[in-house]
Amino acid sequence: LHYWYWIASEDICGWDYFRLKVDSSSPLIQDLCNPNNTGGWVEGVVDLSGFAGSSWELKFEVTTDSSGNSNFFLDDVAVQTSPAMTNIESTPVVAPAADTRSAAQPRRR
């Protein structure tokens, strides 16, 4: 699985989070909190080879409480069947804009 994401949060860790769900399992859970802000678009890669050969449902799930503002933006989600993406590292791509409303804009290529 390959995707781009942007975390922008004013909250403390432990209350808001992003979870990737494949059927009933969660191969990835990440806190949405100030120390985890990405400052721009970041590549995400998750190895789903353990689910190969079967049908499954993929969900990107965000849970927040009422304290602090937490955002998780998602773009360009793709599932690839070849191992070409196995060594991609997370790297910030775009510097944050001064106006946080621009965070909702899609990543430009």
Side-chain angles (χ1 to χ4, degrees), residues 20-98:
L20 173 69
K21 293 180 85 172
V22 181
D23 287 335
S24 61
S25 67
S26 297
L28 175 66
I29 299 173
Q30 185 169 5
D31 269 327
L32 301 179
C33 56
N34 191 277
N36 291 344
N37 286 340
T38 59
W41 290 102
V42 175
E43 275 184 310
V45 177
V46 177
D47 181 4
L48 298 179
S49 61
F51 300 95
S54 62
S55 295
W56 35 267
E57 182 178 67
L58 179 69
K59 292 181 185 179
F60 290 86
E61 180 179 87
V62 174
T63 302
T64 62
D65 62 8
S66 61
S67 67
N69 180 23
S70 292
N71 296 285
F72 179 82
F73 302 102
L74 180 65
D75 196 13
D76 291 341
V77 177
V79 176
Q80 185 170 344
T81 58
S82 72
M85 294 184 168
T86 56
N87 292 323
I88 295 176
E89 295 180 16
S90 295
T91 307
V93 175
V94 179

